[in-house]
Amino acid sequence: QLQLVESGGALVQAGGSLRLSCAASGRTFSSFTMGWFRQGAGKERHFVATISGSGSNTAYADFVQGRFTISRDNAENTVYLQMNSLQLEDTGVYYCAAWDGPLQTITFGTDYWGKGTLVTVSS
């Protein structure tokens, strides 16, 4: 069982960088696959990045490939999303999610969610 709390969202200029954190309270953090999803103007949460329990495997959405990096520190029960070269389209609420299973790019089957952190990219 996990409780997830995101932080690090802010107002940032286009082209800038931001690092999001997701802190988990569970003692079995390393057994969960983790992911980041974002919600823009619509209601749907779209896949951004995911990382395996060990941190050895990652996957990214096409629109963030080469700009964002997901990582985790299991000793600190924290997953990160380093966001570089931010664009206006990156604006949204970023949610951290956890599930027991392989890497995936959909929200279905994700067991745990944080409340989100707002990232606003300005021109």
Side-chain angles (χ1 to χ4, degrees), residues 33-45:
T33 303
M34 304 293 296
W36 287 96
F37 297 77
R38 79 178 176 211
Q39 182 176 355
K43 295 182 178 181
E44 186 174 357
R45 297 180 185 182

Side-chain angles (χ1 to χ4, degrees), residues 5-121:
V5 180
E6 303 94 335
S7 63
L11 173 65
V12 63
Q13 294 287 330
S17 298
L18 203 59
R19 189 192 195 194
L20 306 183
S21 298
C22 175
S25 62
R27 297 171 61 190
T28 57
F29 177 71
S30 63
S31 66
F32 288 92
T33 303
M34 304 293 296
W36 287 96
F37 297 77
R38 79 178 176 211
Q39 182 176 355
K43 295 182 178 181
E44 186 174 357
R45 297 180 185 182
H46 298 279
F47 168 75
V48 174
T50 186
I51 187 168
S52 62
S54 67
S56 61
N57 297 307
T58 60
Y60 297 90
D62 290 342
F63 55 83
V64 304
Q65 185 71 46
R67 300 189 297 117
F68 290 9
T69 302
I70 188 171
S71 62
R72 67 192 297 163
D73 185 343
N74 288 339
E76 299 295 331
N77 289 352
T78 303
V79 63
Y80 303 96
L81 185 68
Q82 178 65 48
M83 305 184 294
N84 299 325
S85 302
L86 283 164
Q87 305 168 2
L88 294 177
E89 294 78 13
D90 294 320
T91 293
V93 179
Y94 284 72
Y95 295 90
C96 179
W99 61 94
D100 183 10
L103 301 184
Q104 64 180 43
T105 61
I106 58 175
T107 58
F108 183 84
T110 53
D111 298 319
Y112 306 99
W113 291 91
K115 294 182 179 180
T117 186
L118 177 63
V119 174
T120 303
V121 183

